[in-house]
Amino acid sequence: MEVLHSHSIPTINFSKLNFPKFHRRIRRIRLTSLKLHGIRAEASSLSSSPSLSPSTAGEKMVVELVGAFNELTERMNVLSTSSSRLLFKALKLSIPILQGLPLSPDSRSPLTKALSVALLLADLQMDAEVISTGILRQAVEAGVVSTQQVRDQIGVGTAHLLHESLRFKNNINLKLQVLDDDTAAALRKYCLTYYDIRALILDLAIKLDMMRHLDYLPRYQQLMVSLEVLKIHAPLAHAVASNYLSFELEDLSFRHLFPHSYLYVDTWLRSHETGSKPLIDIYKERLLQSLKSDPALCKMVDEVSVLGRYKSRYSTMKKLLKDGRKPEAVNDVLGLRVILKPKSDVGNLSEVGETACYRTREIIRSLWKEMPHRTKDYIARPKANGYRSLHMAVDVSDNGKTRPPMEIQIRTTEMDMLAANGTASHSLYKGGLTDPEEAKRLKAIMMAAAELAALRLKDLPSSNQIGTEIDQRDRVFRLLDKNGDGRISIEELMEVMEELGAPGEDAREMMQLLDSNSDGSLSSDEFDLFQKQVEFMRNLEDKDDQYKTILNEKLQMEYNSGLIQVYSKELGNRLAS
């Protein structure tokens, strides 16, 4: 972890404002440069406006509304106007309700939990209906909002998904009497066949969020939840082709069920690291630089990308124990995938792509020692399902340090797309559907459901990229500017305050704080400065959470060494005297 030097600390000038209930407001922030692990704020962007210090309930909820909406939409690749409105309405309905609920058993606020699930769904590129359902489900489960209210205020699609997700949860709980392999497989097949696939993904995201915060439960409950996740939810995540969910669900279940075994596997995998930078990132950067600097390859391709991944702890454990492999025989602990986009103006696209793949293999051979017995040419000899790619394994041991071989896949963008489509049927098979035709049929249903949701919400890619960027920047402003006159009036601000359940009068104080030219309304520029400050505050909060986790780990290590006990005892004696 980096040390925070004195030059990283911002200089802040305070001055009092004569607004009612505002005993102290920050009028200017002078930052020559603020840099805290990736956070950077320049004086030109923030010093020209009053800094945000919300004191009333209405102000705090507007800050939460704007911050949450922007964070969610920034993670979504495609977002239509109808989707924006849907998310905005869901946040306006849920924020005041969730803020009024007591803390969850894991000591998090219900709003924090709801937004964590929503961000997971946004990262998975789910549509606005699914994300809105993730935001609202806790409020519905707590009995403070009904499905009918959601239908009336948000929309039929979100209400339907809420119904489906609650039905899924309740039926799973009723059927989970025995967790033998046959029962688990039958239950997975039942889930995949009889539920809206998006409701299933929502439940998986909620389960992953729960698994990330499972330590508050008694040990026996941790074991029961982890066993259920490993038998039911992780294979379901495989079935819907979401490695992002399945790998982490497996690893977290493994850690709780077999903590000592997990520690051994984790320690063995970590032993191959060197320095503070992940090994896979070092190899990825080295390979990408070599490919981009090769003249012959550059003549054949427009784009080169290299993706890297570590094998999951659970998958490694299975290969070491179930398959009986020796550690040196686990060939894909480290994995890279090279994806090439061939040029369309230098000949036959398919032939150019194949030649580029073979050229890439030659470049890799110049970097690392190839392991010939692990080389597979699925371009010259495609698999029966049409899969095409080059596979190879290389020895990355150096300076006398032995490391597991690294697996590398090389393919064109077209090959990668075909591989992804084929993976969906294979994933359904792993999830419990043993009939290939049944897996294909369900895959078609899943794709049709996703396309229908996209059409309903008009979440289709725009050819006007500039317009999309502008839309992304002032989306919240246009949602608040209901009459479309290019300014947010006091009446429009009061209306959103009241929708959030706060007194409308809170809007006057917020208007005074943000209205820099005192014309009684907010321009897009004034509101943009407000959004930047909200983003800045949320970034600092996120970094504080990261620092807390890192420091807790480091200080806990010191505590175990006996150093902290001495200080704690001294401090306790002082406090007692």
Side-chain angles (χ1 to χ4, degrees):
M1 180 177 173
E2 289 182 58
V3 178
L4 302 183
H5 299 290
S6 58
H7 66 265
S8 298
I9 307 301
T11 303
I12 304 177
N13 286 349
F14 295 92
S15 64
K16 291 187 178 180
L17 304 181
N18 295 321
F19 301 151
K21 299 183 184 178
F22 286 78
H23 301 298
R24 183 165 68 180
R25 291 292 193 220
I26 306 172
R27 286 299 293 182
R28 292 180 68 86
I29 297 181
R30 292 195 179 97
L31 302 177
T32 54
S33 176
L34 170 60
K35 187 175 184 182
L36 293 173
H37 290 260
I39 301 176
R40 186 176 180 84
E42 297 296 340
S44 60
S45 64
L46 291 177
S47 62
S48 60
S49 69
S51 280
L52 191 62
S53 182
S55 62
T56 67
E59 291 171 11
K60 290 175 182 176
M61 281 191 277
V62 170
V63 168
E64 191 65 58
L65 172 66
V66 172
F69 181 84
N70 283 338
E71 189 169 3
L72 283 169
T73 54
E74 282 170 7
R75 299 189 185 204
M76 300 171 70
N77 290 338
V78 181
L79 192 68
S80 64
T81 302
S82 56
S83 292
S84 298
R85 288 175 180 155
L86 181 63
L87 277 178
F88 204 64
K89 286 191 291 185
L91 287 167
K92 282 196 294 185
L93 177 60
S94 61
I95 285 174
I97 292 171
L98 293 174
Q99 283 187 337
L101 294 177
L103 291 179
S104 302
D106 62 4
S107 299
R108 290 187 295 161
S109 73
L111 181 58
T112 299
K113 288 184 67 173
L115 292 179
S116 295
V117 171
L119 290 170
L120 259 175
L121 294 167
D123 287 336
L124 290 166
Q125 297 306 309
M126 300 306 295
D127 62 63
E129 283 180 351
V130 184
I131 298 172
S132 297
T133 305
I135 294 168
L136 289 161
R137 201 175 106 162
Q138 275 199 84
V140 173
E141 286 184 301
V144 289
V145 174
S146 68
T147 307
Q148 185 62 46
Q149 283 177 284
V150 173
R151 179 190 177 95
D152 294 340
Q153 297 183 42
I154 307 299
V156 176
T158 303
H160 162 73
L161 273 176
L162 265 172
H163 172 76
E164 280 287 283
S165 67
L166 292 172
R167 186 169 73 95
F168 175 82
K169 176 189 175 186
N170 294 334
N171 284 350
I172 282 284
N173 290 340
L174 285 174
K175 294 176 184 295
L176 276 177
Q177 303 297 326
V178 181
L179 265 179
D180 61 90
D181 289 345
D182 291 340
T183 304
L187 185 54
R188 294 196 300 267
K189 180 177 177 180
Y190 172 79
C191 294
L192 289 167
T193 308
Y194 291 104
Y195 291 98
D196 185 322
I197 201 73
R198 297 177 302 152
L200 193 153
I201 293 173
L202 168 61
D203 189 77
L204 293 175
I206 292 172
K207 194 63 70 174
L208 176 54
D209 182 70
M210 179 185 181
M211 289 297 292
R212 287 174 174 177
H213 303 86
L214 202 62
D215 291 337
Y216 75 95
L217 287 176
R219 174 68 179 149
Y220 76 93
Q221 284 185 274
Q222 293 181 22
L223 294 176
M224 293 306 297
V225 172
S226 299
L227 184 60
E228 174 193 329
V229 166
L230 195 60
K231 288 280 190 177
I232 304 296
H233 295 87
L236 283 175
H238 275 299
V240 295
S242 177
N243 291 339
Y244 177 84
L245 291 173
S246 61
F247 288 162
E248 190 172 355
L249 285 170
E250 286 176 343
D251 277 3
L252 290 171
S253 300
F254 178 29
R255 181 165 67 85
H256 286 290
L257 288 168
F258 309 105
H260 295 293
S261 300
Y262 180 91
L263 181 62
Y264 275 105
V265 173
D266 184 63
T267 302
W268 178 68
L269 290 173
R270 290 179 183 273
S271 69
H272 306 302
E273 292 295 334
T274 175
S276 58
K277 192 169 186 177
L279 205 57
I280 197 70
D281 289 344
I282 295 173
Y283 295 146
K284 184 170 68 172
E285 290 174 8
R286 183 181 176 188
L287 177 55
L288 185 61
Q289 184 177 359
S290 297
L291 295 176
K292 286 188 172 183
S293 61
D294 183 75
L297 186 63
C298 289
K299 291 178 181 178
M300 292 184 277
V301 299
D302 283 325
E303 293 179 20
V304 178
S305 62
V306 179
L307 309 176
R309 62 111 184 98
Y310 280 103
K311 194 168 192 65
S312 72
R313 271 59 179 159
Y314 179 69
S315 181
T316 303
M317 182 272 292
K318 283 200 301 183
K319 289 203 171 183
L320 290 171
L321 297 182
K322 187 177 177 181
D323 298 349
R325 299 190 192 185
K326 295 180 180 180
E328 59 270 20
V330 181
N331 293 307
D332 54 351
V333 171
L334 301 170
L336 295 178
R337 179 179 297 163
V338 180
I339 302 175
L340 308 165
K341 183 179 180 181
K343 291 180 181 291
S344 57
D345 57 352
V346 293
N348 181 281
L349 197 64
S350 180
E351 292 179 0
V352 173
E354 291 176 10
T355 305
C357 288
Y358 290 115
R359 176 58 190 165
T360 298
R361 187 171 66 179
E362 292 302 315
I363 296 169
I364 293 170
R365 285 171 174 167
S366 71
L367 296 174
W368 298 292
K369 182 181 177 182
E370 183 181 13
M371 305 176 70
H373 64 285
R374 292 287 301 165
T375 298
K376 300 287 177 62
D377 188 345
Y378 294 117
I379 293 179
R381 293 176 295 279
K383 289 187 178 182
N385 63 0
Y387 175 85
R388 304 179 75 216
S389 181
L390 291 179
H391 289 200
M392 61 191 301
V394 296
D395 183 357
V396 291
S397 302
D398 61 354
N399 297 326
K401 186 174 179 63
T402 303
R403 295 193 177 97
M406 179 168 65
E407 185 182 77
I408 304 177
Q409 298 175 355
I410 309 164
R411 59 181 67 155
T412 64
T413 49
E414 182 183 8
M415 294 174 192
D416 190 58
M417 190 180 302
L418 290 171
N421 289 336
T423 298
S425 295
H426 174 67
S427 299
L428 290 169
Y429 177 85
K430 290 181 71 175
L433 293 179
T434 54
D435 182 352
E437 291 305 315
E438 192 174 9
K440 288 180 182 178
R441 180 183 64 80
L442 183 57
K443 177 190 167 187
I445 294 172
M446 290 164 56
M447 297 297 291
E451 289 172 5
L452 180 63
L455 286 170
R456 185 169 62 253
L457 297 168
K458 296 182 176 60
D459 278 343
L460 300 173
S462 169
S463 59
N464 184 355
Q465 295 298 323
I466 296 176
T468 302
E469 291 172 8
I470 294 173
D471 183 59
Q472 189 75 20
R473 191 179 65 237
D474 65 354
R475 201 183 296 275
V476 182
F477 178 82
R478 289 186 293 107
L479 286 166
L480 292 174
D481 176 24
K482 295 190 175 182
N483 63 7
D485 66 352
R487 305 192 73 80
I488 299 174
S489 66
I490 185 64
E491 291 78 18
E492 288 167 332
L493 195 55
M494 288 177 74
E495 185 177 344
V496 75
M497 289 277 192
E498 289 166 357
E499 287 174 336
L500 288 166
E505 285 302 311
D506 288 359
R508 298 191 183 280
E509 296 188 12
M510 190 168 190
M511 180 65 77
Q512 284 182 305
L513 178 65
L514 301 179
D515 181 16
S516 58
N517 62 1
S518 303
D519 66 352
S521 64
L522 298 179
S523 67
S524 60
D525 288 339
E526 289 169 330
F527 194 77
D528 188 49
L529 285 171
F530 164 67
Q531 290 193 89
K532 287 178 181 177
Q533 291 182 327
V534 171
E535 182 182 3
F536 180 71
M537 289 168 58
R538 290 174 74 89
N539 283 340
L540 285 178
E541 291 169 2
D542 290 343
K543 286 298 174 184
D544 189 36
D545 287 340
Q546 292 177 27
Y547 295 154
K548 180 177 69 176
T549 302
I550 295 170
L551 288 170
N552 182 58
E553 292 176 357
K554 291 184 176 293
L555 293 176
Q556 186 63 39
M557 291 173 62
E558 292 293 335
Y559 189 93
N560 292 337
S561 70
L563 181 63
I564 300 298
Q565 290 100 315
V566 176
Y567 295 150
S568 297
K569 185 176 180 181
E570 288 180 0
L571 181 60
N573 291 338
R574 284 185 212 149
L575 292 174
S577 60

